[in-house]
C-alpha cells in the first residue's frame, strides 16, 4: 500500500496565452504526485480537481478500497486555475488580481497539465487513466478530446463535457446570490462580501444534494445533528473561500463548450475525437449534471459506456470519500478500466 501524505508543489509556467487570447502572467500550477512512474512511463493516472476543492480533496480516490492504493500507478493530482492554489484572482501577478484576472477555460487548464506532465516525464508518457468528479470530470473529458493519443481510459463522474443550459442557469442563481451583497463592488471589494458568500453557500446546498437526500435526512450520515447544522457548514465553507476565486472557476465551468474548443461548432465532432476507453458515470439524482445530458454525450463518443452512479446523494454522490456506497461503484468502474 502506498503512503499518502498531503503535499503540494508548484510548476512555473511563466506567461501563457489563454484560449480567450488573453495572457496570464507568472502562471503556476499547484500539484501533487503520489507513487512512482514505471520505466515506460505508461502507468500515469491524472486526477484534476473539482469546483470549490483542492487536489487534497481527491486523495480519497487513492483509498484502500480502490485500485490506485497498491502502488502500481503514479498518480498526479492537479488544481484548477482560479481555485486559490494554482494562479488565481487571490494570488495573481500585479495588475491581474481580483476582478482583473483573465478568463480561463477548461482547455487552458488541460494544456497547463500537459505541460506539467511533459516537464515531469519527458515526451514519451501515457496516461493509463484520467478521472475526476464534477469539474474534475469535465477536465477528464477535455483531456480525451485534446490529447486522444495520450489517454488510454477515462472515468468522468457526475459531470458532462458541455455546460448545458439548465446547469448554466443554476450557476447564475448562486452567482447572483453572491453578487447581490453590497460589499461585492463588482469584485473590487476591500472586505470579503460575507453576506454574499453565506447566501452562495446556502443556495448551493439546495442543488448539491437531491430531494431524497433531504427527505430521508441522509445528512445524518455526514454527522450533522440538524438540517441547520448542514446549512451552517455550507456557509462556513464558502466564507473560507475568496469570492473572486469562486466566480473565476464558476466562469470556467459555465464556458465549457467542446464544440467551440475542438470542433467546427459540432459537439459530435468534438466528442468524436475521443479514442480512450470511456465509462461516463452520471449521478442518478444529480440535479444539474443530469443523466439525460450525459447519455446524449456518451452517444457521441465512440465506444463509450454510460454507467449510472446510483445514489440519493445528488451531485455529492461523487464527492471523493463522502458516500461509501457511491465510492464502491466508482472504484469498480476504475478497476475495470485499469484491467485490475
Amino acid at each position: 500500500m502506498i503512503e499518502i501524505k498531503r503535499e503540494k508543489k508548484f510548476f512555473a509556467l511563466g506567461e501563457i496565452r489563454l484560449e480567450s487570447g488573453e495572457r496570464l502572467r507568472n502562471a503556476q500550477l499547484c500539484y501533487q504526485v503520489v507513487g512512482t512512474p514505471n520505466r515506460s512511463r505508461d502507468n500515469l493516472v491524472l486526477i484534476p480537481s473539482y469546483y470549490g476543492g483542492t487536489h487534497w480533496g481527491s486523495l480519497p480516490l487513492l483509498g484502500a478500497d480502490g485500485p490506485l492504493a497498491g502502488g502500481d500507478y503514479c498518480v498526479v493530482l492537479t488544481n484548477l486555475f482560479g481555485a486559490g492554489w494554482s494562479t488565481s484572482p487571490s494570488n495573481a501577478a500585479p495588475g491581474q488580481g481580483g476582478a482583473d484576472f483573465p478568463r480561463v477555460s477548461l482547455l487552458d487548464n488541460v494544456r497547463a497539465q500537459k505541460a506539467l506532465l511533459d516537464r515531469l516525464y519527458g515526451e514519451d508518457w501515457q496516461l493509463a487513466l484520467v478521472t475526476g468528479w464534477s469539474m474534475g470530470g469535465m477536465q477528464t473529458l477535455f483531456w480525451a478530446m485534446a490529447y486522444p493519443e495520450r489517454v488510454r481510459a477515462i472515468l468522468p463522474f457526475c459531470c458532462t463535457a458541455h455546460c448545458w443550459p439548465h446547469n448554466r442557469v443554476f450557476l447564475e442563481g448562486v452567482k447572483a446570490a453572491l453578487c447581490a451583497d453590497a460589499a461585492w463592488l463588482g469584485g473590487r471589494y476591500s472586505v470579503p462580501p460575507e453576506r454574499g458568500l453565506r447566501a452562495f453557500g446556502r443556495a448551493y446546498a439546495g442543488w448539491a444534494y437531491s430531494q431524497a437526500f433531504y427527505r430521508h435526512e441522509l445528512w445524518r450520515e455526514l454527522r450533522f445533528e440538524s438540517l441547520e447544522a448542514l446549512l451552517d457548514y455550507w456557509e462556513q465553507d464558502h466564507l473560507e473561500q475568496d469570492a473572486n476565486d469562486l466566480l473565476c472557476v464558476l466562469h470556467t465551468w459555465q464556458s465549457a463548450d467542446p464544440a467551440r474548443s475542438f470542433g467546427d461548432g459540432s459537439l459530435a465532432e468534438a466528442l468524436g475525437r475521443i479514442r480512450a476507453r470511456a465509462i461516463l458515470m452520471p449521478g442518478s439524482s444529480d440535479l444539474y449534471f443530469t443523466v439525460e445530458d450525459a447519455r446524449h454525450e456518451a452517444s457521441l463518443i465512440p465506444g463509450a459506456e454510460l454507467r449510472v452512479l446510483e445514489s440519493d446523494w445528488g451531485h455529492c454522490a461523487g464527492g471523493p470519500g463522502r458516500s461509501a456506497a457511491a465510492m464502491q461503484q466508482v472504484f469498480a468502474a476504475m478497476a475495470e478500466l485499469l484491467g485490475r
Side-chain angles (χ1 to χ4, degrees):
M1 301 294 289
I2 55 175
E3 182 181 3
I4 302 176
K5 298 179 179 179
R6 289 192 170 196
E7 299 176 349
K8 58 180 176 179
K9 296 182 179 180
F10 294 91
F11 169 52
L13 291 146
E15 181 175 283
I16 60 175
R17 184 178 178 85
L18 302 172
E19 189 178 3
S20 66
E22 297 180 272
R23 294 184 180 276
L24 179 61
R25 301 195 305 274
N26 297 343
Q28 289 194 105
L29 188 64
C30 181
Y31 71 99
Q32 178 173 350
V33 177
V34 180
T36 304
N38 59 17
R39 182 172 297 180
S40 56
R41 297 185 294 282
D42 62 0
N43 69 331
L44 306 181
V45 173
L46 179 68
I47 305 179
S49 65
Y50 51 85
Y51 185 72
T54 67
H55 71 272
W56 288 347
S58 295
L59 288 175
L61 296 178
L62 283 64
D65 294 336
L68 299 179
D72 296 324
Y73 297 95
C74 177
V75 183
V76 181
L77 304 105
T78 59
N79 290 266
L80 281 157
F81 285 128
W85 281 9
S86 295
T87 303
S88 305
S90 60
N91 62 24
Q96 291 197 315
D100 297 318
F101 196 76
R103 296 294 179 93
V104 181
S105 71
L106 288 172
L107 184 56
D108 294 327
N109 280 277
V110 166
R111 286 171 172 166
Q113 294 158 17
K114 164 69 160 50
L116 169 66
L117 296 177
D118 287 341
R119 175 64 62 87
L120 293 175
Y121 307 113
E123 296 184 357
D124 187 16
W125 51 265
Q126 188 83 14
L127 286 165
L129 177 70
V130 187
T131 186
W133 171 52
S134 192
M135 282 192 76
M138 298 177 89
Q139 291 168 85
T140 294
L141 287 157
F142 268 69
W143 251 100
M145 288 182 280
Y147 304 107
E149 74 286 354
R150 293 283 192 172
V151 183
R152 290 206 304 269
I154 59 172
L155 177 60
F157 50 100
C158 298
C159 68
T160 55
H162 183 79
C163 183
W164 293 94
H166 185 256
N167 194 333
R168 180 181 179 83
V169 170
F170 143 63
L171 293 170
E172 282 297 311
V174 293
K175 176 183 176 181
L178 194 163
C179 295
D181 188 336
W184 164 245
L185 298 176
R188 302 186 185 281
Y189 45 87
S190 56
V191 295
E194 291 189 356
R195 289 185 177 180
L197 289 166
R198 289 180 185 276
F200 186 103
R202 286 210 166 216
Y204 208 121
W207 288 90
Y209 306 104
S210 73
Q211 295 92 340
F213 176 89
Y214 288 107
R215 183 168 59 251
H216 299 306
E217 298 186 352
L218 298 182
W219 38 265
R220 296 187 185 279
E221 296 179 23
L222 294 170
R223 299 183 181 179
F224 291 105
E225 296 182 353
S226 67
L227 181 57
E228 190 62 30
L230 174 67
L231 295 177
D232 286 345
Y233 168 82
W234 276 80
E235 283 191 3
Q236 291 302 316
D237 181 64
H238 286 83
L239 284 172
E240 294 173 4
Q241 302 195 50
D242 179 82
N244 275 312
D245 287 357
L246 280 172
L247 295 193
C248 171
V249 184
L250 186 147
H251 173 267
T252 300
W253 177 349
Q254 285 187 311
S255 65
D257 184 0
R260 183 197 67 230
S261 295
F262 300 107
D264 58 355
S266 165
L267 181 63
E269 179 176 326
L271 291 173
R273 294 169 56 89
I274 296 176
R275 294 292 176 263
R277 185 182 176 195
I279 296 177
L280 278 63
M281 187 171 275
S284 62
S285 58
D286 197 323
L287 297 178
Y288 45 92
F289 286 115
T290 67
V291 172
E292 290 79 7
D293 288 337
R295 179 178 289 113
H296 173 63
E297 292 189 359
S299 73
L300 302 176
I301 299 173
E305 176 186 351
L306 185 86
R307 188 177 299 183
V308 177
L309 178 61
E310 297 292 344
S311 173
D312 286 341
W313 282 54
H315 182 66
C316 285
R322 301 186 193 187
S323 166
M327 282 298 95
Q328 288 304 315
Q329 295 175 68
V330 171
F331 286 155
M334 191 182 295
E336 185 175 328
L337 290 169
L338 290 169
R340 306 299 292 175

PDB file of all heavy atoms in Angstrom, residues 92-115:
ATOM      1  N   ALA A  92      -2.717  36.390  -7.936  1.00  0.00           N
ATOM      2  CA  ALA A  92      -2.155  36.663  -9.257  1.00  0.00           C
ATOM      3  C   ALA A  92      -1.110  37.774  -9.225  1.00  0.00           C
ATOM      4  O   ALA A  92      -0.956  38.502  -8.239  1.00  0.00           O
ATOM      5  CB  ALA A  92      -3.277  37.037 -10.228  1.00  0.00           C
ATOM      6  N   ALA A  93      -0.403  37.905 -10.344  1.00  0.00           N
ATOM      7  CA  ALA A  93       0.596  38.965 -10.509  1.00  0.00           C
ATOM      8  C   ALA A  93      -0.079  40.330 -10.452  1.00  0.00           C
ATOM      9  O   ALA A  93      -1.271  40.464 -10.753  1.00  0.00           O
ATOM     10  CB  ALA A  93       1.311  38.781 -11.846  1.00  0.00           C
ATOM     11  N   PRO A  94       0.654  41.364 -10.047  1.00  0.00           N
ATOM     12  CA  PRO A  94       0.089  42.710 -10.010  1.00  0.00           C
ATOM     13  C   PRO A  94      -0.558  43.076 -11.348  1.00  0.00           C
ATOM     14  O   PRO A  94       0.004  42.817 -12.412  1.00  0.00           O
ATOM     15  CB  PRO A  94       1.312  43.588  -9.723  1.00  0.00           C
ATOM     16  CG  PRO A  94       2.241  42.684  -8.965  1.00  0.00           C
ATOM     17  CD  PRO A  94       2.057  41.326  -9.582  1.00  0.00           C
ATOM     18  N   GLY A  95      -1.742  43.662 -11.255  1.00  0.00           N
ATOM     19  CA  GLY A  95      -2.478  44.040 -12.455  1.00  0.00           C
ATOM     20  C   GLY A  95      -3.426  42.979 -12.960  1.00  0.00           C
ATOM     21  O   GLY A  95      -4.262  43.244 -13.831  1.00  0.00           O
ATOM     22  N   GLN A  96      -3.312  41.740 -12.420  1.00  0.00           N
ATOM     23  CA  GLN A  96      -4.211  40.668 -12.832  1.00  0.00           C
ATOM     24  C   GLN A  96      -4.963  40.062 -11.649  1.00  0.00           C
ATOM     25  O   GLN A  96      -5.654  39.057 -11.805  1.00  0.00           O
ATOM     26  CB  GLN A  96      -3.441  39.562 -13.567  1.00  0.00           C
ATOM     27  CG  GLN A  96      -2.923  39.992 -14.926  1.00  0.00           C
ATOM     28  CD  GLN A  96      -2.533  38.818 -15.799  1.00  0.00           C
ATOM     29  OE1 GLN A  96      -1.865  37.878 -15.364  1.00  0.00           O
ATOM     30  NE2 GLN A  96      -2.951  38.857 -17.058  1.00  0.00           N
ATOM     31  N   GLY A  97      -4.860  40.664 -10.496  1.00  0.00           N
ATOM     32  CA  GLY A  97      -5.540  40.146  -9.321  1.00  0.00           C
ATOM     33  C   GLY A  97      -7.001  40.554  -9.271  1.00  0.00           C
ATOM     34  O   GLY A  97      -7.448  41.463  -9.976  1.00  0.00           O
ATOM     35  N   GLY A  98      -7.761  39.869  -8.437  1.00  0.00           N
ATOM     36  CA  GLY A  98      -9.156  40.217  -8.202  1.00  0.00           C
ATOM     37  C   GLY A  98      -9.976  40.239  -9.469  1.00  0.00           C
ATOM     38  O   GLY A  98      -9.947  39.317 -10.294  1.00  0.00           O
ATOM     39  N   ALA A  99     -10.719  41.324  -9.663  1.00  0.00           N
ATOM     40  CA  ALA A  99     -11.611  41.454 -10.810  1.00  0.00           C
ATOM     41  C   ALA A  99     -10.870  41.580 -12.131  1.00  0.00           C
ATOM     42  O   ALA A  99     -11.488  41.486 -13.198  1.00  0.00           O
ATOM     43  CB  ALA A  99     -12.524  42.662 -10.610  1.00  0.00           C
ATOM     44  N   ASP A 100      -9.549  41.799 -12.104  1.00  0.00           N
ATOM     45  CA  ASP A 100      -8.768  41.949 -13.330  1.00  0.00           C
ATOM     46  C   ASP A 100      -8.174  40.629 -13.827  1.00  0.00           C
ATOM     47  O   ASP A 100      -7.416  40.627 -14.799  1.00  0.00           O
ATOM     48  CB  ASP A 100      -7.633  42.957 -13.106  1.00  0.00           C
ATOM     49  CG  ASP A 100      -8.166  44.349 -12.798  1.00  0.00           C
ATOM     50  OD1 ASP A 100      -9.130  44.772 -13.462  1.00  0.00           O
ATOM     51  OD2 ASP A 100      -7.634  45.000 -11.876  1.00  0.00           O
ATOM     52  N   PHE A 101      -8.523  39.538 -13.178  1.00  0.00           N
ATOM     53  CA  PHE A 101      -7.982  38.234 -13.587  1.00  0.00           C
ATOM     54  C   PHE A 101      -8.582  37.846 -14.937  1.00  0.00           C
ATOM     55  O   PHE A 101      -9.784  38.010 -15.163  1.00  0.00           O
ATOM     56  CB  PHE A 101      -8.333  37.175 -12.547  1.00  0.00           C
ATOM     57  CG  PHE A 101      -7.533  35.905 -12.654  1.00  0.00           C
ATOM     58  CD1 PHE A 101      -6.229  35.862 -12.208  1.00  0.00           C
ATOM     59  CD2 PHE A 101      -8.095  34.755 -13.192  1.00  0.00           C
ATOM     60  CE1 PHE A 101      -5.476  34.687 -12.290  1.00  0.00           C
ATOM     61  CE2 PHE A 101      -7.365  33.579 -13.274  1.00  0.00           C
ATOM     62  CZ  PHE A 101      -6.049  33.546 -12.824  1.00  0.00           C
ATOM     63  N   PRO A 102      -7.766  37.325 -15.854  1.00  0.00           N
ATOM     64  CA  PRO A 102      -8.305  36.952 -17.175  1.00  0.00           C
ATOM     65  C   PRO A 102      -9.213  35.720 -17.106  1.00  0.00           C
ATOM     66  O   PRO A 102      -9.150  34.943 -16.152  1.00  0.00           O
ATOM     67  CB  PRO A 102      -7.040  36.657 -17.990  1.00  0.00           C
ATOM     68  CG  PRO A 102      -5.993  36.317 -16.989  1.00  0.00           C
ATOM     69  CD  PRO A 102      -6.308  37.134 -15.773  1.00  0.00           C
ATOM     70  N   ARG A 103     -10.044  35.570 -18.120  1.00  0.00           N
ATOM     71  CA  ARG A 103     -10.954  34.431 -18.194  1.00  0.00           C
ATOM     72  C   ARG A 103     -10.166  33.171 -18.571  1.00  0.00           C
ATOM     73  O   ARG A 103      -9.401  33.181 -19.538  1.00  0.00           O
ATOM     74  CB  ARG A 103     -12.056  34.693 -19.220  1.00  0.00           C
ATOM     75  CG  ARG A 103     -12.964  35.872 -18.840  1.00  0.00           C
ATOM     76  CD  ARG A 103     -13.759  35.562 -17.577  1.00  0.00           C
ATOM     77  NE  ARG A 103     -14.606  36.657 -17.160  1.00  0.00           N
ATOM     78  CZ  ARG A 103     -15.885  36.785 -17.509  1.00  0.00           C
ATOM     79  NH1 ARG A 103     -16.431  35.911 -18.332  1.00  0.00           N
ATOM     80  NH2 ARG A 103     -16.602  37.788 -17.065  1.00  0.00           N
ATOM     81  N   VAL A 104     -10.384  32.104 -17.814  1.00  0.00           N
ATOM     82  CA  VAL A 104      -9.649  30.859 -18.014  1.00  0.00           C
ATOM     83  C   VAL A 104     -10.643  29.759 -18.392  1.00  0.00           C
ATOM     84  O   VAL A 104     -11.732  29.661 -17.812  1.00  0.00           O
ATOM     85  CB  VAL A 104      -8.885  30.453 -16.741  1.00  0.00           C
ATOM     86  CG1 VAL A 104      -8.113  29.167 -16.966  1.00  0.00           C
ATOM     87  CG2 VAL A 104      -7.938  31.571 -16.312  1.00  0.00           C
ATOM     88  N   SER A 105     -10.291  28.927 -19.344  1.00  0.00           N
ATOM     89  CA  SER A 105     -11.171  27.857 -19.811  1.00  0.00           C
ATOM     90  C   SER A 105     -10.696  26.496 -19.316  1.00  0.00           C
ATOM     91  O   SER A 105      -9.584  26.342 -18.788  1.00  0.00           O
ATOM     92  CB  SER A 105     -11.219  27.843 -21.336  1.00  0.00           C
ATOM     93  OG  SER A 105      -9.991  27.387 -21.869  1.00  0.00           O
ATOM     94  N   LEU A 106     -11.516  25.496 -19.505  1.00  0.00           N
ATOM     95  CA  LEU A 106     -11.110  24.128 -19.194  1.00  0.00           C
ATOM     96  C   LEU A 106      -9.908  23.717 -20.046  1.00  0.00           C
ATOM     97  O   LEU A 106      -8.983  23.062 -19.559  1.00  0.00           O
ATOM     98  CB  LEU A 106     -12.272  23.157 -19.422  1.00  0.00           C
ATOM     99  CG  LEU A 106     -13.413  23.215 -18.408  1.00  0.00           C
ATOM    100  CD1 LEU A 106     -14.562  22.334 -18.873  1.00  0.00           C
ATOM    101  CD2 LEU A 106     -12.946  22.755 -17.026  1.00  0.00           C
ATOM    102  N   LEU A 107      -9.916  24.108 -21.312  1.00  0.00           N
ATOM    103  CA  LEU A 107      -8.806  23.747 -22.183  1.00  0.00           C
ATOM    104  C   LEU A 107      -7.508  24.400 -21.712  1.00  0.00           C
ATOM    105  O   LEU A 107      -6.435  23.783 -21.795  1.00  0.00           O
ATOM    106  CB  LEU A 107      -9.114  24.145 -23.624  1.00  0.00           C
ATOM    107  CG  LEU A 107      -8.082  23.741 -24.678  1.00  0.00           C
ATOM    108  CD1 LEU A 107      -7.827  22.237 -24.658  1.00  0.00           C
ATOM    109  CD2 LEU A 107      -8.532  24.190 -26.076  1.00  0.00           C
ATOM    110  N   ASP A 108      -7.577  25.615 -21.200  1.00  0.00           N
ATOM    111  CA  ASP A 108      -6.379  26.256 -20.640  1.00  0.00           C
ATOM    112  C   ASP A 108      -5.806  25.417 -19.503  1.00  0.00           C
ATOM    113  O   ASP A 108      -4.583  25.241 -19.397  1.00  0.00           O
ATOM    114  CB  ASP A 108      -6.719  27.646 -20.107  1.00  0.00           C
ATOM    115  CG  ASP A 108      -7.117  28.626 -21.197  1.00  0.00           C
ATOM    116  OD1 ASP A 108      -6.588  28.531 -22.314  1.00  0.00           O
ATOM    117  OD2 ASP A 108      -7.978  29.490 -20.922  1.00  0.00           O
ATOM    118  N   ASN A 109      -6.673  24.902 -18.646  1.00  0.00           N
ATOM    119  CA  ASN A 109      -6.221  24.048 -17.544  1.00  0.00           C
ATOM    120  C   ASN A 109      -5.582  22.767 -18.060  1.00  0.00           C
ATOM    121  O   ASN A 109      -4.517  22.353 -17.584  1.00  0.00           O
ATOM    122  CB  ASN A 109      -7.404  23.714 -16.626  1.00  0.00           C
ATOM    123  CG  ASN A 109      -7.745  24.831 -15.665  1.00  0.00           C
ATOM    124  OD1 ASN A 109      -7.138  24.961 -14.608  1.00  0.00           O
ATOM    125  ND2 ASN A 109      -8.718  25.646 -16.021  1.00  0.00           N
ATOM    126  N   VAL A 110      -6.205  22.154 -19.036  1.00  0.00           N
ATOM    127  CA  VAL A 110      -5.697  20.893 -19.578  1.00  0.00           C
ATOM    128  C   VAL A 110      -4.340  21.106 -20.246  1.00  0.00           C
ATOM    129  O   VAL A 110      -3.414  20.287 -20.091  1.00  0.00           O
ATOM    130  CB  VAL A 110      -6.722  20.290 -20.559  1.00  0.00           C
ATOM    131  CG1 VAL A 110      -6.116  19.175 -21.388  1.00  0.00           C
ATOM    132  CG2 VAL A 110      -7.931  19.764 -19.780  1.00  0.00           C
ATOM    133  N   ARG A 111      -4.196  22.187 -20.977  1.00  0.00           N
ATOM    134  CA  ARG A 111      -2.903  22.454 -21.620  1.00  0.00           C
ATOM    135  C   ARG A 111      -1.797  22.665 -20.593  1.00  0.00           C
ATOM    136  O   ARG A 111      -0.656  22.220 -20.790  1.00  0.00           O
ATOM    137  CB  ARG A 111      -3.039  23.682 -22.521  1.00  0.00           C
ATOM    138  CG  ARG A 111      -3.804  23.419 -23.807  1.00  0.00           C
ATOM    139  CD  ARG A 111      -4.107  24.699 -24.564  1.00  0.00           C
ATOM    140  NE  ARG A 111      -4.675  24.434 -25.882  1.00  0.00           N
ATOM    141  CZ  ARG A 111      -5.274  25.340 -26.635  1.00  0.00           C
ATOM    142  NH1 ARG A 111      -5.376  26.603 -26.192  1.00  0.00           N
ATOM    143  NH2 ARG A 111      -5.754  25.024 -27.815  1.00  0.00           N
ATOM    144  N   ALA A 112      -2.120  23.333 -19.494  1.00  0.00           N
ATOM    145  CA  ALA A 112      -1.128  23.527 -18.437  1.00  0.00           C
ATOM    146  C   ALA A 112      -0.762  22.195 -17.794  1.00  0.00           C
ATOM    147  O   ALA A 112       0.407  21.943 -17.467  1.00  0.00           O
ATOM    148  CB  ALA A 112      -1.670  24.489 -17.385  1.00  0.00           C
ATOM    149  N   GLN A 113      -1.728  21.328 -17.602  1.00  0.00           N
ATOM    150  CA  GLN A 113      -1.457  19.997 -17.042  1.00  0.00           C
ATOM    151  C   GLN A 113      -0.585  19.177 -17.984  1.00  0.00           C
ATOM    152  O   GLN A 113       0.314  18.451 -17.537  1.00  0.00           O
ATOM    153  CB  GLN A 113      -2.779  19.278 -16.757  1.00  0.00           C
ATOM    154  CG  GLN A 113      -3.606  19.933 -15.658  1.00  0.00           C
ATOM    155  CD  GLN A 113      -5.081  19.590 -15.724  1.00  0.00           C
ATOM    156  OE1 GLN A 113      -5.491  18.632 -16.381  1.00  0.00           O
ATOM    157  NE2 GLN A 113      -5.907  20.389 -15.059  1.00  0.00           N
ATOM    158  N   LYS A 114      -0.830  19.299 -19.281  1.00  0.00           N
ATOM    159  CA  LYS A 114       0.009  18.609 -20.268  1.00  0.00           C
ATOM    160  C   LYS A 114       1.452  19.109 -20.169  1.00  0.00           C
ATOM    161  O   LYS A 114       2.413  18.312 -20.210  1.00  0.00           O
ATOM    162  CB  LYS A 114      -0.543  18.871 -21.664  1.00  0.00           C
ATOM    163  CG  LYS A 114       0.388  18.554 -22.836  1.00  0.00           C
ATOM    164  CD  LYS A 114       0.659  17.091 -23.026  1.00  0.00           C
ATOM    165  CE  LYS A 114       1.167  16.784 -24.434  1.00  0.00           C
ATOM    166  NZ  LYS A 114       2.289  17.604 -24.913  1.00  0.00           N
ATOM    167  N   ALA A 115       1.635  20.414 -20.013  1.00  0.00           N
ATOM    168  CA  ALA A 115       2.983  20.965 -19.870  1.00  0.00           C
ATOM    169  C   ALA A 115       3.659  20.430 -18.619  1.00  0.00           C
ATOM    170  O   ALA A 115       4.872  20.152 -18.616  1.00  0.00           O
ATOM    171  CB  ALA A 115       2.925  22.497 -19.844  1.00  0.00           C
TER     172      ALA A 115
END
